[in-house]
Amino acid sequence: MSTQHLVVDLGGVLFHFDHAHRLQCLADVFALPTDRIDMLLWRSGFSADCDSGKYPHAAEIRDRIRAATGFTGSDDDLDAAWCSAFRPDHAVRATLERHRGSLPLALFTNNGPLEQEALMRLYPTMFDGFSHLLSSHRLGHRKPDPAAFDAAAKHLGACPDDILFIDDSAANTDAARAAGWTALRFRSRETLEQTLHSRIQ
């Protein structure tokens, strides 16, 4: 069947993603060592819980980050540091818009409500033209869990073989194919352009 929905990852496709940079930014803002921040907010499972919807509101996540780290600064500083792993790739955004034709465009991301709220505020034009934002915290499952792909397809109202999915993670593209989606691993803006040109007419 022909592609009816174009679905792309956020961190690693629409945005460059650098977790080490985020840890350093948080260390600078919180005045804590990067390893301590990684343990408190990632290795503890807190970030994964945020992604899975355990904390449904950005304000609650900020409160929990403050409690864990002792940070007393502004929400704006916290949000900017928390989201500093993400740097918009305007060339990818332009390629998607140029080659998707009339297909509805969706983002499918493992992120929590704080990333969603802050990134859309910090980089509003990067989200223009997207019909759906499929966030793991709303779906209740994270990629590459098969349930995440089932929930995303249901939200789109799409049959699995109607979906073309672009993600930088091999585990996620493998899981998407197992769910019946057409999935291609993102490697560069140039290969994305070639893929869209050949598959979407």
Side-chain angles (χ1 to χ4, degrees), residues 66-105:
R66 291 176 184 279
T69 64
F71 179 66
T72 59
S74 70
D75 285 354
D76 285 347
D77 286 345
L78 189 157
D79 290 359
W82 185 254
C83 293
S84 60
F86 300 91
R87 181 167 54 88
D89 191 329
H90 296 284
V92 165
R93 179 71 188 82
T95 296
L96 290 169
E97 190 58 40
R98 188 165 58 250
H99 289 283
R100 71 183 177 98
S102 61
L103 292 181
L105 185 61

PDB file of all heavy atoms in Angstrom, residues 66-105:
ATOM      1  N   ARG A  66      13.743  19.868  41.327  1.00  0.00           N
ATOM      2  CA  ARG A  66      14.222  20.765  42.382  1.00  0.00           C
ATOM      3  C   ARG A  66      14.473  20.003  43.680  1.00  0.00           C
ATOM      4  O   ARG A  66      15.489  20.227  44.356  1.00  0.00           O
ATOM      5  CB  ARG A  66      13.194  21.882  42.614  1.00  0.00           C
ATOM      6  CG  ARG A  66      13.087  22.879  41.471  1.00  0.00           C
ATOM      7  CD  ARG A  66      11.976  23.899  41.743  1.00  0.00           C
ATOM      8  NE  ARG A  66      11.785  24.803  40.622  1.00  0.00           N
ATOM      9  CZ  ARG A  66      12.532  25.861  40.367  1.00  0.00           C
ATOM     10  NH1 ARG A  66      13.528  26.157  41.182  1.00  0.00           N
ATOM     11  NH2 ARG A  66      12.282  26.627  39.312  1.00  0.00           N
ATOM     12  N   ALA A  67      13.554  19.108  44.022  1.00  0.00           N
ATOM     13  CA  ALA A  67      13.710  18.343  45.262  1.00  0.00           C
ATOM     14  C   ALA A  67      14.936  17.436  45.200  1.00  0.00           C
ATOM     15  O   ALA A  67      15.648  17.265  46.198  1.00  0.00           O
ATOM     16  CB  ALA A  67      12.450  17.521  45.520  1.00  0.00           C
ATOM     17  N   ALA A  68      15.206  16.865  44.040  1.00  0.00           N
ATOM     18  CA  ALA A  68      16.331  15.942  43.906  1.00  0.00           C
ATOM     19  C   ALA A  68      17.670  16.656  43.885  1.00  0.00           C
ATOM     20  O   ALA A  68      18.680  16.110  44.364  1.00  0.00           O
ATOM     21  CB  ALA A  68      16.169  15.115  42.633  1.00  0.00           C
ATOM     22  N   THR A  69      17.699  17.859  43.312  1.00  0.00           N
ATOM     23  CA  THR A  69      18.983  18.526  43.073  1.00  0.00           C
ATOM     24  C   THR A  69      19.239  19.732  43.979  1.00  0.00           C
ATOM     25  O   THR A  69      20.366  20.225  44.041  1.00  0.00           O
ATOM     26  CB  THR A  69      19.060  19.018  41.615  1.00  0.00           C
ATOM     27  OG1 THR A  69      18.049  20.016  41.395  1.00  0.00           O
ATOM     28  CG2 THR A  69      18.864  17.856  40.647  1.00  0.00           C
ATOM     29  N   GLY A  70      18.196  20.219  44.643  1.00  0.00           N
ATOM     30  CA  GLY A  70      18.348  21.412  45.458  1.00  0.00           C
ATOM     31  C   GLY A  70      18.346  22.703  44.661  1.00  0.00           C
ATOM     32  O   GLY A  70      18.637  23.775  45.206  1.00  0.00           O
ATOM     33  N   PHE A  71      17.973  22.645  43.387  1.00  0.00           N
ATOM     34  CA  PHE A  71      17.984  23.832  42.536  1.00  0.00           C
ATOM     35  C   PHE A  71      16.901  24.805  42.978  1.00  0.00           C
ATOM     36  O   PHE A  71      15.750  24.428  43.185  1.00  0.00           O
ATOM     37  CB  PHE A  71      17.762  23.424  41.083  1.00  0.00           C
ATOM     38  CG  PHE A  71      17.725  24.572  40.124  1.00  0.00           C
ATOM     39  CD1 PHE A  71      18.845  25.349  39.898  1.00  0.00           C
ATOM     40  CD2 PHE A  71      16.553  24.883  39.438  1.00  0.00           C
ATOM     41  CE1 PHE A  71      18.813  26.416  39.016  1.00  0.00           C
ATOM     42  CE2 PHE A  71      16.513  25.943  38.539  1.00  0.00           C
ATOM     43  CZ  PHE A  71      17.646  26.708  38.335  1.00  0.00           C
ATOM     44  N   THR A  72      17.271  26.096  43.086  1.00  0.00           N
ATOM     45  CA  THR A  72      16.327  27.116  43.529  1.00  0.00           C
ATOM     46  C   THR A  72      16.173  28.241  42.509  1.00  0.00           C
ATOM     47  O   THR A  72      15.531  29.264  42.814  1.00  0.00           O
ATOM     48  CB  THR A  72      16.769  27.729  44.874  1.00  0.00           C
ATOM     49  OG1 THR A  72      18.079  28.307  44.728  1.00  0.00           O
ATOM     50  CG2 THR A  72      16.795  26.674  45.972  1.00  0.00           C
ATOM     51  N   GLY A  73      16.718  28.073  41.317  1.00  0.00           N
ATOM     52  CA  GLY A  73      16.646  29.113  40.300  1.00  0.00           C
ATOM     53  C   GLY A  73      15.313  29.128  39.580  1.00  0.00           C
ATOM     54  O   GLY A  73      14.333  28.492  39.993  1.00  0.00           O
ATOM     55  N   SER A  74      15.275  29.844  38.473  1.00  0.00           N
ATOM     56  CA  SER A  74      14.026  30.073  37.751  1.00  0.00           C
ATOM     57  C   SER A  74      13.606  28.861  36.924  1.00  0.00           C
ATOM     58  O   SER A  74      14.434  28.024  36.543  1.00  0.00           O
ATOM     59  CB  SER A  74      14.173  31.278  36.819  1.00  0.00           C
ATOM     60  OG  SER A  74      15.037  30.951  35.732  1.00  0.00           O
ATOM     61  N   ASP A  75      12.318  28.799  36.629  1.00  0.00           N
ATOM     62  CA  ASP A  75      11.800  27.765  35.730  1.00  0.00           C
ATOM     63  C   ASP A  75      12.437  27.885  34.350  1.00  0.00           C
ATOM     64  O   ASP A  75      12.717  26.875  33.702  1.00  0.00           O
ATOM     65  CB  ASP A  75      10.281  27.872  35.606  1.00  0.00           C
ATOM     66  CG  ASP A  75       9.534  27.357  36.818  1.00  0.00           C
ATOM     67  OD1 ASP A  75      10.178  26.798  37.730  1.00  0.00           O
ATOM     68  OD2 ASP A  75       8.298  27.519  36.851  1.00  0.00           O
ATOM     69  N   ASP A  76      12.651  29.105  33.885  1.00  0.00           N
ATOM     70  CA  ASP A  76      13.237  29.292  32.561  1.00  0.00           C
ATOM     71  C   ASP A  76      14.636  28.689  32.491  1.00  0.00           C
ATOM     72  O   ASP A  76      14.989  28.039  31.493  1.00  0.00           O
ATOM     73  CB  ASP A  76      13.294  30.776  32.202  1.00  0.00           C
ATOM     74  CG  ASP A  76      11.936  31.345  31.830  1.00  0.00           C
ATOM     75  OD1 ASP A  76      10.997  30.550  31.606  1.00  0.00           O
ATOM     76  OD2 ASP A  76      11.815  32.582  31.761  1.00  0.00           O
ATOM     77  N   ASP A  77      15.434  28.896  33.522  1.00  0.00           N
ATOM     78  CA  ASP A  77      16.787  28.323  33.536  1.00  0.00           C
ATOM     79  C   ASP A  77      16.733  26.803  33.617  1.00  0.00           C
ATOM     80  O   ASP A  77      17.520  26.109  32.957  1.00  0.00           O
ATOM     81  CB  ASP A  77      17.585  28.879  34.712  1.00  0.00           C
ATOM     82  CG  ASP A  77      18.017  30.323  34.500  1.00  0.00           C
ATOM     83  OD1 ASP A  77      17.951  30.803  33.349  1.00  0.00           O
ATOM     84  OD2 ASP A  77      18.417  30.969  35.492  1.00  0.00           O
ATOM     85  N   LEU A  78      15.805  26.278  34.423  1.00  0.00           N
ATOM     86  CA  LEU A  78      15.666  24.830  34.539  1.00  0.00           C
ATOM     87  C   LEU A  78      15.253  24.235  33.196  1.00  0.00           C
ATOM     88  O   LEU A  78      15.831  23.240  32.736  1.00  0.00           O
ATOM     89  CB  LEU A  78      14.654  24.492  35.626  1.00  0.00           C
ATOM     90  CG  LEU A  78      14.516  23.024  36.056  1.00  0.00           C
ATOM     91  CD1 LEU A  78      13.920  22.956  37.462  1.00  0.00           C
ATOM     92  CD2 LEU A  78      13.650  22.221  35.108  1.00  0.00           C
ATOM     93  N   ASP A  79      14.249  24.829  32.564  1.00  0.00           N
ATOM     94  CA  ASP A  79      13.739  24.312  31.289  1.00  0.00           C
ATOM     95  C   ASP A  79      14.820  24.335  30.214  1.00  0.00           C
ATOM     96  O   ASP A  79      14.971  23.377  29.442  1.00  0.00           O
ATOM     97  CB  ASP A  79      12.542  25.135  30.813  1.00  0.00           C
ATOM     98  CG  ASP A  79      11.308  24.937  31.668  1.00  0.00           C
ATOM     99  OD1 ASP A  79      11.363  24.147  32.626  1.00  0.00           O
ATOM    100  OD2 ASP A  79      10.285  25.588  31.373  1.00  0.00           O
ATOM    101  N   ALA A  80      15.556  25.433  30.140  1.00  0.00           N
ATOM    102  CA  ALA A  80      16.587  25.555  29.110  1.00  0.00           C
ATOM    103  C   ALA A  80      17.673  24.506  29.302  1.00  0.00           C
ATOM    104  O   ALA A  80      18.137  23.887  28.331  1.00  0.00           O
ATOM    105  CB  ALA A  80      17.190  26.958  29.141  1.00  0.00           C
ATOM    106  N   ALA A  81      18.078  24.266  30.548  1.00  0.00           N
ATOM    107  CA  ALA A  81      19.101  23.255  30.805  1.00  0.00           C
ATOM    108  C   ALA A  81      18.569  21.852  30.550  1.00  0.00           C
ATOM    109  O   ALA A  81      19.251  21.010  29.945  1.00  0.00           O
ATOM    110  CB  ALA A  81      19.598  23.393  32.249  1.00  0.00           C
ATOM    111  N   TRP A  82      17.340  21.569  30.983  1.00  0.00           N
ATOM    112  CA  TRP A  82      16.744  20.245  30.796  1.00  0.00           C
ATOM    113  C   TRP A  82      16.603  19.907  29.315  1.00  0.00           C
ATOM    114  O   TRP A  82      16.752  18.746  28.920  1.00  0.00           O
ATOM    115  CB  TRP A  82      15.384  20.214  31.484  1.00  0.00           C
ATOM    116  CG  TRP A  82      14.689  18.887  31.483  1.00  0.00           C
ATOM    117  CD1 TRP A  82      13.614  18.526  30.721  1.00  0.00           C
ATOM    118  CD2 TRP A  82      14.996  17.752  32.293  1.00  0.00           C
ATOM    119  NE1 TRP A  82      13.231  17.240  30.993  1.00  0.00           N
ATOM    120  CE2 TRP A  82      14.061  16.733  31.964  1.00  0.00           C
ATOM    121  CE3 TRP A  82      15.961  17.488  33.256  1.00  0.00           C
ATOM    122  CZ2 TRP A  82      14.075  15.477  32.562  1.00  0.00           C
ATOM    123  CZ3 TRP A  82      15.979  16.238  33.863  1.00  0.00           C
ATOM    124  CH2 TRP A  82      15.050  15.249  33.520  1.00  0.00           C
ATOM    125  N   CYS A  83      16.345  20.912  28.498  1.00  0.00           N
ATOM    126  CA  CYS A  83      16.124  20.692  27.063  1.00  0.00           C
ATOM    127  C   CYS A  83      17.359  20.999  26.219  1.00  0.00           C
ATOM    128  O   CYS A  83      17.268  21.008  24.977  1.00  0.00           O
ATOM    129  CB  CYS A  83      14.948  21.532  26.577  1.00  0.00           C
ATOM    130  SG  CYS A  83      13.361  21.007  27.269  1.00  0.00           S
ATOM    131  N   SER A  84      18.499  21.219  26.855  1.00  0.00           N
ATOM    132  CA  SER A  84      19.693  21.618  26.113  1.00  0.00           C
ATOM    133  C   SER A  84      20.285  20.495  25.271  1.00  0.00           C
ATOM    134  O   SER A  84      21.165  20.752  24.438  1.00  0.00           O
ATOM    135  CB  SER A  84      20.761  22.168  27.072  1.00  0.00           C
ATOM    136  OG  SER A  84      21.135  21.174  28.023  1.00  0.00           O
ATOM    137  N   ALA A  85      19.821  19.269  25.457  1.00  0.00           N
ATOM    138  CA  ALA A  85      20.258  18.172  24.580  1.00  0.00           C
ATOM    139  C   ALA A  85      19.739  18.343  23.160  1.00  0.00           C
ATOM    140  O   ALA A  85      20.289  17.761  22.224  1.00  0.00           O
ATOM    141  CB  ALA A  85      19.782  16.831  25.138  1.00  0.00           C
ATOM    142  N   PHE A  86      18.687  19.136  22.994  1.00  0.00           N
ATOM    143  CA  PHE A  86      17.999  19.255  21.709  1.00  0.00           C
ATOM    144  C   PHE A  86      18.417  20.543  20.990  1.00  0.00           C
ATOM    145  O   PHE A  86      18.284  21.631  21.542  1.00  0.00           O
ATOM    146  CB  PHE A  86      16.485  19.272  21.918  1.00  0.00           C
ATOM    147  CG  PHE A  86      15.946  18.043  22.590  1.00  0.00           C
ATOM    148  CD1 PHE A  86      15.834  17.996  23.978  1.00  0.00           C
ATOM    149  CD2 PHE A  86      15.555  16.939  21.849  1.00  0.00           C
ATOM    150  CE1 PHE A  86      15.338  16.857  24.611  1.00  0.00           C
ATOM    151  CE2 PHE A  86      15.056  15.804  22.470  1.00  0.00           C
ATOM    152  CZ  PHE A  86      14.953  15.763  23.848  1.00  0.00           C
ATOM    153  N   ARG A  87      18.882  20.386  19.753  1.00  0.00           N
ATOM    154  CA  ARG A  87      19.226  21.542  18.919  1.00  0.00           C
ATOM    155  C   ARG A  87      18.521  21.380  17.578  1.00  0.00           C
ATOM    156  O   ARG A  87      18.692  20.371  16.905  1.00  0.00           O
ATOM    157  CB  ARG A  87      20.746  21.614  18.730  1.00  0.00           C
ATOM    158  CG  ARG A  87      21.221  22.791  17.900  1.00  0.00           C
ATOM    159  CD  ARG A  87      22.738  22.961  18.025  1.00  0.00           C
ATOM    160  NE  ARG A  87      23.458  21.752  17.698  1.00  0.00           N
ATOM    161  CZ  ARG A  87      23.858  21.397  16.468  1.00  0.00           C
ATOM    162  NH1 ARG A  87      23.559  22.184  15.431  1.00  0.00           N
ATOM    163  NH2 ARG A  87      24.522  20.286  16.263  1.00  0.00           N
ATOM    164  N   PRO A  88      17.686  22.338  17.188  1.00  0.00           N
ATOM    165  CA  PRO A  88      16.851  22.153  15.994  1.00  0.00           C
ATOM    166  C   PRO A  88      17.691  21.996  14.731  1.00  0.00           C
ATOM    167  O   PRO A  88      18.694  22.682  14.546  1.00  0.00           O
ATOM    168  CB  PRO A  88      15.996  23.419  15.949  1.00  0.00           C
ATOM    169  CG  PRO A  88      16.701  24.413  16.801  1.00  0.00           C
ATOM    170  CD  PRO A  88      17.427  23.638  17.838  1.00  0.00           C
ATOM    171  N   ASP A  89      17.246  21.072  13.870  1.00  0.00           N
ATOM    172  CA  ASP A  89      17.873  20.877  12.565  1.00  0.00           C
ATOM    173  C   ASP A  89      16.935  21.471  11.521  1.00  0.00           C
ATOM    174  O   ASP A  89      16.003  20.816  11.045  1.00  0.00           O
ATOM    175  CB  ASP A  89      18.119  19.395  12.301  1.00  0.00           C
ATOM    176  CG  ASP A  89      19.006  19.154  11.086  1.00  0.00           C
ATOM    177  OD1 ASP A  89      18.947  19.985  10.157  1.00  0.00           O
ATOM    178  OD2 ASP A  89      19.750  18.152  11.058  1.00  0.00           O
ATOM    179  N   HIS A  90      17.180  22.722  11.169  1.00  0.00           N
ATOM    180  CA  HIS A  90      16.284  23.422  10.264  1.00  0.00           C
ATOM    181  C   HIS A  90      16.331  22.834   8.859  1.00  0.00           C
ATOM    182  O   HIS A  90      15.335  22.889   8.123  1.00  0.00           O
ATOM    183  CB  HIS A  90      16.629  24.914  10.238  1.00  0.00           C
ATOM    184  CG  HIS A  90      16.425  25.599  11.547  1.00  0.00           C
ATOM    185  ND1 HIS A  90      15.172  25.936  12.017  1.00  0.00           N
ATOM    186  CD2 HIS A  90      17.306  25.981  12.511  1.00  0.00           C
ATOM    187  CE1 HIS A  90      15.286  26.519  13.198  1.00  0.00           C
ATOM    188  NE2 HIS A  90      16.571  26.556  13.521  1.00  0.00           N
ATOM    189  N   ALA A  91      17.460  22.247   8.485  1.00  0.00           N
ATOM    190  CA  ALA A  91      17.556  21.627   7.156  1.00  0.00           C
ATOM    191  C   ALA A  91      16.649  20.407   7.061  1.00  0.00           C
ATOM    192  O   ALA A  91      15.996  20.181   6.034  1.00  0.00           O
ATOM    193  CB  ALA A  91      19.000  21.243   6.857  1.00  0.00           C
ATOM    194  N   VAL A  92      16.587  19.601   8.114  1.00  0.00           N
ATOM    195  CA  VAL A  92      15.676  18.455   8.129  1.00  0.00           C
ATOM    196  C   VAL A  92      14.232  18.934   8.100  1.00  0.00           C
ATOM    197  O   VAL A  92      13.399  18.380   7.360  1.00  0.00           O
ATOM    198  CB  VAL A  92      15.939  17.574   9.368  1.00  0.00           C
ATOM    199  CG1 VAL A  92      14.777  16.601   9.613  1.00  0.00           C
ATOM    200  CG2 VAL A  92      17.231  16.784   9.191  1.00  0.00           C
ATOM    201  N   ARG A  93      13.939  19.962   8.870  1.00  0.00           N
ATOM    202  CA  ARG A  93      12.567  20.494   8.870  1.00  0.00           C
ATOM    203  C   ARG A  93      12.164  20.938   7.466  1.00  0.00           C
ATOM    204  O   ARG A  93      11.054  20.645   7.000  1.00  0.00           O
ATOM    205  CB  ARG A  93      12.486  21.677   9.848  1.00  0.00           C
ATOM    206  CG  ARG A  93      11.118  22.335   9.910  1.00  0.00           C
ATOM    207  CD  ARG A  93      10.124  21.419  10.609  1.00  0.00           C
ATOM    208  NE  ARG A  93       8.778  21.944  10.527  1.00  0.00           N
ATOM    209  CZ  ARG A  93       7.970  21.790   9.481  1.00  0.00           C
ATOM    210  NH1 ARG A  93       8.363  21.118   8.404  1.00  0.00           N
ATOM    211  NH2 ARG A  93       6.744  22.268   9.507  1.00  0.00           N
ATOM    212  N   ALA A  94      13.054  21.626   6.754  1.00  0.00           N
ATOM    213  CA  ALA A  94      12.751  22.096   5.412  1.00  0.00           C
ATOM    214  C   ALA A  94      12.600  20.925   4.436  1.00  0.00           C
ATOM    215  O   ALA A  94      11.729  20.941   3.560  1.00  0.00           O
ATOM    216  CB  ALA A  94      13.849  23.040   4.930  1.00  0.00           C
ATOM    217  N   THR A  95      13.422  19.894   4.599  1.00  0.00           N
ATOM    218  CA  THR A  95      13.331  18.716   3.731  1.00  0.00           C
ATOM    219  C   THR A  95      11.999  18.009   3.911  1.00  0.00           C
ATOM    220  O   THR A  95      11.353  17.605   2.943  1.00  0.00           O
ATOM    221  CB  THR A  95      14.489  17.750   4.037  1.00  0.00           C
ATOM    222  OG1 THR A  95      15.721  18.396   3.706  1.00  0.00           O
ATOM    223  CG2 THR A  95      14.364  16.462   3.237  1.00  0.00           C
ATOM    224  N   LEU A  96      11.571  17.852   5.148  1.00  0.00           N
ATOM    225  CA  LEU A  96      10.277  17.222   5.405  1.00  0.00           C
ATOM    226  C   LEU A  96       9.150  18.006   4.751  1.00  0.00           C
ATOM    227  O   LEU A  96       8.263  17.430   4.118  1.00  0.00           O
ATOM    228  CB  LEU A  96      10.032  17.127   6.914  1.00  0.00           C
ATOM    229  CG  LEU A  96      10.891  16.134   7.693  1.00  0.00           C
ATOM    230  CD1 LEU A  96      10.718  16.355   9.190  1.00  0.00           C
ATOM    231  CD2 LEU A  96      10.542  14.701   7.317  1.00  0.00           C
ATOM    232  N   GLU A  97       9.182  19.307   4.890  1.00  0.00           N
ATOM    233  CA  GLU A  97       8.109  20.124   4.334  1.00  0.00           C
ATOM    234  C   GLU A  97       8.137  20.101   2.806  1.00  0.00           C
ATOM    235  O   GLU A  97       7.092  20.081   2.159  1.00  0.00           O
ATOM    236  CB  GLU A  97       8.238  21.560   4.842  1.00  0.00           C
ATOM    237  CG  GLU A  97       7.045  22.438   4.516  1.00  0.00           C
ATOM    238  CD  GLU A  97       5.749  21.887   5.084  1.00  0.00           C
ATOM    239  OE1 GLU A  97       5.756  21.373   6.225  1.00  0.00           O
ATOM    240  OE2 GLU A  97       4.712  21.955   4.374  1.00  0.00           O
ATOM    241  N   ARG A  98       9.330  20.059   2.241  1.00  0.00           N
ATOM    242  CA  ARG A  98       9.465  20.118   0.785  1.00  0.00           C
ATOM    243  C   ARG A  98       9.042  18.821   0.113  1.00  0.00           C
ATOM    244  O   ARG A  98       8.524  18.842  -1.001  1.00  0.00           O
ATOM    245  CB  ARG A  98      10.914  20.456   0.430  1.00  0.00           C
ATOM    246  CG  ARG A  98      11.161  20.738  -1.034  1.00  0.00           C
ATOM    247  CD  ARG A  98      12.507  21.400  -1.248  1.00  0.00           C
ATOM    248  NE  ARG A  98      13.626  20.610  -0.745  1.00  0.00           N
ATOM    249  CZ  ARG A  98      14.367  20.923   0.311  1.00  0.00           C
ATOM    250  NH1 ARG A  98      14.107  22.011   1.024  1.00  0.00           N
ATOM    251  NH2 ARG A  98      15.373  20.156   0.686  1.00  0.00           N
ATOM    252  N   HIS A  99       9.251  17.689   0.768  1.00  0.00           N
ATOM    253  CA  HIS A  99       9.074  16.401   0.095  1.00  0.00           C
ATOM    254  C   HIS A  99       7.896  15.572   0.602  1.00  0.00           C
ATOM    255  O   HIS A  99       7.621  14.513   0.037  1.00  0.00           O
ATOM    256  CB  HIS A  99      10.350  15.564   0.220  1.00  0.00           C
ATOM    257  CG  HIS A  99      11.478  16.076  -0.608  1.00  0.00           C
ATOM    258  ND1 HIS A  99      11.546  15.879  -1.973  1.00  0.00           N
ATOM    259  CD2 HIS A  99      12.567  16.798  -0.268  1.00  0.00           C
ATOM    260  CE1 HIS A  99      12.647  16.443  -2.435  1.00  0.00           C
ATOM    261  NE2 HIS A  99      13.281  17.014  -1.425  1.00  0.00           N
ATOM    262  N   ARG A 100       7.184  16.010   1.622  1.00  0.00           N
ATOM    263  CA  ARG A 100       6.116  15.170   2.145  1.00  0.00           C
ATOM    264  C   ARG A 100       4.843  15.269   1.312  1.00  0.00           C
ATOM    265  O   ARG A 100       3.923  14.465   1.485  1.00  0.00           O
ATOM    266  CB  ARG A 100       5.801  15.528   3.594  1.00  0.00           C
ATOM    267  CG  ARG A 100       5.105  16.875   3.790  1.00  0.00           C
ATOM    268  CD  ARG A 100       4.928  17.141   5.261  1.00  0.00           C
ATOM    269  NE  ARG A 100       4.333  18.422   5.559  1.00  0.00           N
ATOM    270  CZ  ARG A 100       3.048  18.612   5.824  1.00  0.00           C
ATOM    271  NH1 ARG A 100       2.204  17.603   5.779  1.00  0.00           N
ATOM    272  NH2 ARG A 100       2.598  19.812   6.110  1.00  0.00           N
ATOM    273  N   GLY A 101       4.771  16.251   0.410  1.00  0.00           N
ATOM    274  CA  GLY A 101       3.570  16.406  -0.385  1.00  0.00           C
ATOM    275  C   GLY A 101       2.384  16.745   0.491  1.00  0.00           C
ATOM    276  O   GLY A 101       2.464  17.602   1.373  1.00  0.00           O
ATOM    277  N   SER A 102       1.270  16.046   0.288  1.00  0.00           N
ATOM    278  CA  SER A 102       0.060  16.312   1.061  1.00  0.00           C
ATOM    279  C   SER A 102      -0.094  15.368   2.256  1.00  0.00           C
ATOM    280  O   SER A 102      -1.130  15.375   2.921  1.00  0.00           O
ATOM    281  CB  SER A 102      -1.173  16.183   0.159  1.00  0.00           C
ATOM    282  OG  SER A 102      -1.258  14.867  -0.369  1.00  0.00           O
ATOM    283  N   LEU A 103       0.931  14.557   2.540  1.00  0.00           N
ATOM    284  CA  LEU A 103       0.818  13.597   3.637  1.00  0.00           C
ATOM    285  C   LEU A 103       0.740  14.303   4.987  1.00  0.00           C
ATOM    286  O   LEU A 103       1.468  15.270   5.228  1.00  0.00           O
ATOM    287  CB  LEU A 103       2.029  12.665   3.664  1.00  0.00           C
ATOM    288  CG  LEU A 103       2.195  11.670   2.529  1.00  0.00           C
ATOM    289  CD1 LEU A 103       3.437  10.823   2.772  1.00  0.00           C
ATOM    290  CD2 LEU A 103       0.973  10.780   2.402  1.00  0.00           C
ATOM    291  N   PRO A 104      -0.109  13.818   5.889  1.00  0.00           N
ATOM    292  CA  PRO A 104      -0.059  14.325   7.257  1.00  0.00           C
ATOM    293  C   PRO A 104       1.275  13.945   7.889  1.00  0.00           C
ATOM    294  O   PRO A 104       1.813  12.862   7.647  1.00  0.00           O
ATOM    295  CB  PRO A 104      -1.233  13.631   7.952  1.00  0.00           C
ATOM    296  CG  PRO A 104      -1.543  12.449   7.106  1.00  0.00           C
ATOM    297  CD  PRO A 104      -1.155  12.802   5.708  1.00  0.00           C
ATOM    298  N   LEU A 105       1.813  14.838   8.697  1.00  0.00           N
ATOM    299  CA  LEU A 105       3.131  14.687   9.295  1.00  0.00           C
ATOM    300  C   LEU A 105       2.982  14.581  10.798  1.00  0.00           C
ATOM    301  O   LEU A 105       2.276  15.384  11.417  1.00  0.00           O
ATOM    302  CB  LEU A 105       3.986  15.902   8.911  1.00  0.00           C
ATOM    303  CG  LEU A 105       5.450  15.939   9.313  1.00  0.00           C
ATOM    304  CD1 LEU A 105       6.213  14.776   8.684  1.00  0.00           C
ATOM    305  CD2 LEU A 105       6.057  17.280   8.861  1.00  0.00           C
TER     306      LEU A 105
END
